[in-house]
Amino acid sequence: MRNMYAISIGLTLAGAGCLLAERAESSGPGHPLFELTVIGYLLAMGGLMLLVACLAASAEDWIKGRWRRVSDPADGDWDPPPQQILDHH
């Protein structure tokens, strides 16, 4: 899961880098680079969507883990001891 977080943060930062590069280029003479803007927005939005999906999966795992701990007995005191079977052979 840590790899997915790293990928999502990397995509978001790459998109932000593209947008910053486009702004730096547009301040000078010439026309703005719309392709770089589109790529930046796509990378940033893809990274943010992946980050939300990772956070949702982590929250789901945490909730399921808490639910298992609540529903299962902690030390097994609730279970009756097993009956001993005597073999007379």
Side-chain angles (χ1 to χ4, degrees):
M1 185 59 75
R2 283 185 289 172
N3 293 338
M4 294 303 288
Y5 280 115
I7 291 170
S8 66
I9 291 171
L11 284 174
T12 305
L13 291 177
C18 286
L19 293 175
L20 288 175
E22 188 271 328
R23 288 203 186 255
E25 289 290 324
S26 67
S27 64
H31 56 84
L33 301 172
F34 292 113
E35 294 86 10
L36 197 57
T37 303
V38 171
I39 290 170
Y41 280 124
L42 288 175
L43 284 172
M45 289 300 121
L48 289 175
M49 288 187 331
L50 186 60
L51 183 63
V52 168
C54 289
L55 289 173
S58 293
E60 181 184 13
D61 288 342
W62 181 78
I63 291 170
K64 283 182 179 179
R66 298 286 289 182
W67 183 257
R68 280 189 209 114
R69 280 188 227 125
V70 169
S71 64
D72 290 341
D75 8 328
D77 290 341
W78 297 96
D79 296 333
Q83 295 181 354
Q84 293 182 351
I85 299 174
L86 299 176
D87 191 13
H88 296 292
H89 292 267

